[in-house]
Structure formats: structure tokens, C-alpha cells
């Protein structure tokens, strides 16, 4: 039961994030830019989380939720995948 509630929380957080990205077409580009600028920095994960919160309407809490961790990892994977295309 607790696991199902946690999964639903993760889904709900992702849906809120996707809704924001659909309502603000420039947001996805900003997220990718932030990830690209910080991907090779020490503590890249933490820097990306902080910059996303500071520079966009997506707020990532200091204590990252499972959805936060998955979202930041997804951003990092997108940037890494993007660099492999060139």
C-alpha cells in the first residue's frame, strides 16, 4: 500500500512538471540548457537541481523526492544522449 502511494506521488509530481512544460514552451529548452551548463561540474546532480529551482518555475526541494531524483537523472540522460548524437 505504501509503495503504491509513493508511486502515485511520483506520477503526480511528473504530471505537474509536464503540465508546466506544456504551458511554457520555453521551459524544456531552459531545463536542457541548465543541464548542459552543469553536467560536467563537480556535484553536477546537485548543481542542476539548484539551478532548475533558481531559474525556472519548477521547484526542487532541498531534500529530493524520488520524483526529483528521477527528473534530474532524466535531464542528465537527455544531455548525455544529445552529446552522443554529434
Amino acid at each position: 500500500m505504501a509503495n503504491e502511494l509513493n508511486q502515485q506521488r511520483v506520477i503526480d509530481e511528473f504530471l505537474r512538471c509536464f503540465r508546466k512544460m506544456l504551458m511554457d514552451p520555453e521551459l524544456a529548452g531552459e531545463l536542457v540548457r541548465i543541464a548542459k551548463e552543469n553536467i560536467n561540474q563537480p556535484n553536477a546532480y546537485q548543481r542542476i537541481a539548484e539551478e532548475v529551482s533558481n531559474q525556472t518555475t519548477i521547484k526542487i526541494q532541498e531534500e529530493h523526492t524520488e520524483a526529483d531524483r528521477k527528473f534530474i537523472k532524466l535531464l542528465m540522460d537527455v544531455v548525455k544522449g544529445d552529446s552522443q548524437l554529434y
Side-chain angles (χ1 to χ4, degrees):
M1 179 84 168
N3 190 32
E4 288 177 18
L5 287 173
N6 191 43
Q7 286 178 339
Q8 188 59 48
R9 241 182 264 130
V10 170
I11 291 169
D12 290 345
E13 284 187 54
F14 269 112
L15 288 175
R16 277 193 297 277
C17 179
F18 293 139
R19 191 172 295 118
K20 285 182 181 185
M21 289 194 309
L22 290 171
M23 293 177 75
D24 180 357
E26 296 175 6
L27 181 57
E30 284 293 302
L31 294 168
V32 171
R33 178 191 58 76
I34 290 167
K36 282 182 179 178
E37 288 176 359
N38 292 285
I39 193 85
N40 294 317
Q41 299 295 322
N43 300 321
Y45 173 92
Q46 187 63 35
R47 289 179 60 103
I48 291 169
E50 289 171 3
E51 292 303 310
V52 165
S53 285
N54 291 338
Q55 297 182 35
T56 73
T57 57
I58 295 177
K59 302 304 173 203
I60 298 174
Q61 302 170 10
E62 257 184 62
E63 296 215 10
H64 302 152
T65 64
E66 183 179 349
D68 294 333
R69 289 188 292 274
K70 288 179 184 288
F71 180 72
I72 296 164
K73 183 177 180 330
L74 175 65
L75 270 177
M76 294 174 81
D77 289 348
V78 165
V79 169
K80 288 175 185 173
D82 193 34
S83 67
Q84 292 174 354
L85 294 175
Y86 300 103

